[in-house]
């Protein structure tokens, strides 16, 4: 099962649910991609790693405030679930489905 694709995701932030797109592009040693949402803008994925159906990565958020986000998600079929660690704000749930 490939983790590649574009996912329509919802991130449960302290400021409410944020809808966005997660793009996962596998490479030889991990993956690249981005997360785009109205509130947080577009963030490039760094250090993307794939272990079976689990992906981990970091992103540098610029708005609403600069911080490094640590992310982990599991892909099961076309569903993705996980969490984003946002420093002092703790962990935010991420869930979504692969876009057709």
């Amino acid at each position: 099962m490939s983790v590649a694709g574009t996912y329509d995701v919802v991130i449960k932030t302290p400021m409410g649910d944020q809808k966005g797109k997660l793009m996962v592009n596998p490479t030889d040693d991990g993956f690249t991609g981005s997360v785009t949402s109205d509130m947080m803008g577009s963030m490039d994925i760094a250090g993307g790693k794939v272990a079976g159906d689990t992906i981990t990565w970091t992103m540098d958020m610029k708005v609403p405030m600069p911080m490094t986000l640590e992310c982990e998600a599991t892909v099961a079929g076309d569903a993705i679930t996980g969490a984003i660690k946002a420093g002092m704000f703790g962990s935010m749930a991420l869930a979504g489905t692969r876009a057709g």
Side-chain angles (χ1 to χ4, degrees):
M1 174 67 203
S2 174
V3 297
T6 299
Y7 299 85
D8 292 314
V9 296
V10 175
I11 302 165
K12 305 256 181 208
T13 77
M15 293 167 275
D17 290 0
Q18 298 298 319
K19 292 182 180 175
K21 297 241 184 245
L22 164 64
M23 278 153 279
V24 177
N25 306 309
T27 61
D28 288 340
D29 58 352
F31 73 98
T32 61
S34 63
V35 172
T36 308
S37 78
D38 288 342
M39 182 188 78
M40 298 183 287
S42 181
M43 295 175 284
D44 289 334
I45 286 172
K49 294 187 178 29
V50 179
D53 57 1
T54 299
I55 57 176
T56 56
W57 71 98
T58 60
M59 301 181 292
D60 287 327
M61 181 172 74
K62 305 288 187 238
V63 289
M65 69 187 59
M67 108 177 30
T68 298
L69 305 176
E70 298 175 27
C71 313
E72 180 173 325
T74 301
V75 176
D78 287 333
I80 188 167
T81 55
I84 298 174
K85 290 183 189 145
M88 64 187 172
F89 295 105
S91 187
M92 304 180 293
L94 173 148
T97 55
R98 194 184 317 251

